[in-house]
Amino acid sequence: MMHFCSACGAGISYRIPHGDDRERAVCDACNTVHYVNPRIIVGCLPEYEGHLLLCLRSIEPRKGFWTLPAGFMENGETTEQGAARETWEEARARVADLALYRVYDVPYINQVYMFYRCTLVDGTHGAGPESLDTRLFAPEEIPWDELAFPSVYRALASYLHDREEGDAFPVQVETILRRRDAGG
Amino acid sequence: MMHFCSACGAGISYRIPHGDDRERAVCDACNTVHYVNPRIIVGCLPEYEGHLLLCLRSIEPRKGFWTLPAGFMENGETTEQGAARETWEEARARVADLALYRVYDVPYINQVYMFYRCTLVDGTHGAGPESLDTRLFAPEEIPWDELAFPSVYRALASYLHDREEGDAFPVQVETILRRRDAGG
């Protein structure tokens, strides 16, 4: 919740600006409208010799659970660059041949996930600061009951299904509606 | 540029927070880190009886140029819902059968466009507050020299090309790098 105008420091009111149709944070002094919009989480499904790379989270939320490398997209980068950057930061792995695979809308937390499938360049990986461990899992080794987020579960399940079907990997957009303990 | 903390009203410094690797707006008093991330623009390629629906912009930037209905995604909605909402707001048209078609990364303005192809429910349309006019164009009537943004030009050209090829409409992610007068 915003209390002060980041432009002039005066107090904020929540009201519907002229010509708008929803409540915004508006400055009482300089009238700046402070828009708040959904954020993008970019991530990878990194494959190497049939195995998939997961990271054991060292931070909350879901510390101690396995996740795909993913994080908030930064200004100045593309979604693909962001997905590769997160994979380096969290799993110390270089990736290639990135292709968009899944978009997950998660409206109850105002997030949009974009997962890219890709391959590890040389198979090396290691824990970055937000990971306790990284590991390449064969499909039958995936720790389904220890995954951090519904988006990770869905992306992995869809990917392995599509791979069995024969490498078509159609892009799909899905909505994650139900709030679970696991979060977004 | 942020000058004051929106949480407590104190002054802001730009510095690299502990454990981070890039400069952020950090509050000198309460230490809140104010992240700024790319924003999503959602839009539609609305088709009706082989024609495509465009809007003549009534506002800057690019007032008086033609555009696909599109705008900033709002909190609490999905990308598809946002694309349909924008089409109603700007072109007073109801759409169905939405399918993701193009993602355009525009890193120099920190935006990600997501265009959905779709059909008009009943063919009706009309100018919303941000439009001077709306019109259904046959492919040979598209005003290529009067389009508002490179993303609109690209989306229309790709869509018409794919339609000629026979309705496969593969999803693609592209980057718009070059700054032009037309903006993002």
Side-chain angles (χ1 to χ4, degrees):
Chain A
M1 180 67 88
M2 175 172 277
H3 298 290
F4 298 92
C5 176
S6 57
C8 80
I12 285 289
S13 299
Y14 280 81
R15 55 189 168 86
I16 300 174
H18 180 71
D20 204 337
D21 60 0
R22 64 188 73 200
E23 221 169 55
R24 314 279 184 186
V26 184
C27 178
D28 297 329
C30 73
N31 289 314
T32 298
V33 182
H34 299 279
Y35 296 94
V36 181
N37 301 89
R39 294 206 288 176
I40 301 171
I41 283 100
V42 284
C44 278
L45 282 144
E47 180 171 331
Y48 188 71
E49 295 181 346
H51 291 54
L52 286 162
L53 182 64
L54 298 179
C55 311
L56 190 63
R57 287 175 65 82
S58 72
I59 55 169
E60 297 294 349
R62 301 295 280 168
K63 181 177 174 178
F65 288 79
W66 291 94
T67 188
L68 291 164
F72 288 110
M73 183 183 179
E74 297 278 6
N75 279 354
E77 68 186 6
T78 65
T79 50
E80 180 178 322
Q81 288 167 344
R85 175 184 53 71
E86 288 289 340
T87 307
W88 173 253
E89 289 179 3
E90 299 188 356
R92 292 291 179 253
R94 298 288 182 197
V95 292
D97 303 323
L98 287 82
L100 183 64
Y101 179 61
R102 280 293 179 277
V103 175
Y104 294 119
D105 285 298
V106 196
Y108 68 85
I109 49 172
N110 305 317
Q111 293 181 350
V112 177
Y113 282 69
M114 297 179 70
F115 279 111
Y116 280 82
R117 55 194 177 84
C118 60
T119 54
L120 292 195
V121 168
D122 56 13
T124 63
H125 59 90
E130 296 181 10
S131 304
L132 295 165
D133 192 11
T134 53
R135 199 187 301 175
L136 283 162
F137 289 92
E140 64 275 15
E141 298 169 337
I142 303 275
W144 296 107
D145 295 332
E146 298 162 53
L147 295 178
F149 305 111
S151 53
V152 171
Y153 186 99
R154 279 211 208 180
L156 284 169
S158 296
Y159 184 83
L160 292 172
H161 170 82
D162 285 358
R163 204 172 65 174
E164 290 254 324
E165 297 289 307
D167 283 339
F169 297 109
V171 178
Q172 286 182 21
V173 182
E174 298 176 6
T175 302
I176 296 177
L177 278 175
R178 194 162 54 91
R179 183 186 288 276
R180 304 196 333 182
D181 289 339
Chain B
M1 181 68 86
M2 174 173 277
H3 298 290
F4 297 92
C5 176
S6 57
C8 81
I12 285 289
S13 299
Y14 279 81
R15 54 188 169 87
I16 300 174
H18 179 71
D20 203 337
D21 61 358
R22 66 188 69 202
E23 219 169 58
R24 312 281 184 187
V26 184
C27 178
D28 298 329
C30 73
N31 290 313
T32 298
V33 181
H34 298 279
Y35 297 95
V36 181
N37 300 89
R39 294 204 288 177
I40 301 171
I41 284 99
V42 283
C44 279
L45 282 144
E47 181 172 332
Y48 188 72
E49 296 181 346
H51 291 55
L52 285 161
L53 182 64
L54 298 179
C55 312
L56 190 63
R57 287 175 65 83
S58 71
I59 55 170
E60 296 295 348
R62 303 294 279 166
K63 181 177 174 177
F65 288 79
W66 290 94
T67 189
L68 290 164
F72 287 110
M73 183 182 178
E74 297 279 4
N75 279 354
E77 68 185 7
T78 65
T79 50
E80 179 178 322
Q81 288 167 345
R85 175 184 52 72
E86 288 289 342
T87 306
W88 172 253
E89 290 179 4
E90 299 188 355
R92 293 291 180 250
R94 299 287 182 198
V95 292
D97 304 323
L98 286 83
L100 182 64
Y101 179 62
R102 280 293 181 275
V103 176
Y104 294 119
D105 285 298
V106 196
Y108 69 83
I109 49 172
N110 306 316
Q111 293 181 349
V112 177
Y113 282 69
M114 298 179 70
F115 278 111
Y116 281 81
R117 54 193 177 86
C118 61
T119 53
L120 291 196
V121 168
D122 56 13
T124 63
H125 59 91
E130 296 182 9
S131 304
L132 294 165
D133 192 11
T134 54
R135 199 187 303 174
L136 283 163
F137 288 92
E140 65 275 13
E141 298 169 336
I142 303 275
W144 296 106
D145 295 333
E146 298 163 50
L147 296 178
F149 306 112
S151 53
V152 170
Y153 187 98
R154 279 211 208 180
L156 284 169
S158 297
Y159 183 84
L160 291 172
H161 173 267
D162 284 359
R163 203 173 65 173
E164 290 253 324
E165 296 290 307
D167 283 341
F169 297 110
V171 178
Q172 286 182 22
V173 182
E174 298 176 7
T175 301
I176 295 176
L177 280 173
R178 195 161 56 90
R179 183 187 287 276
R180 306 196 329 184
D181 289 338

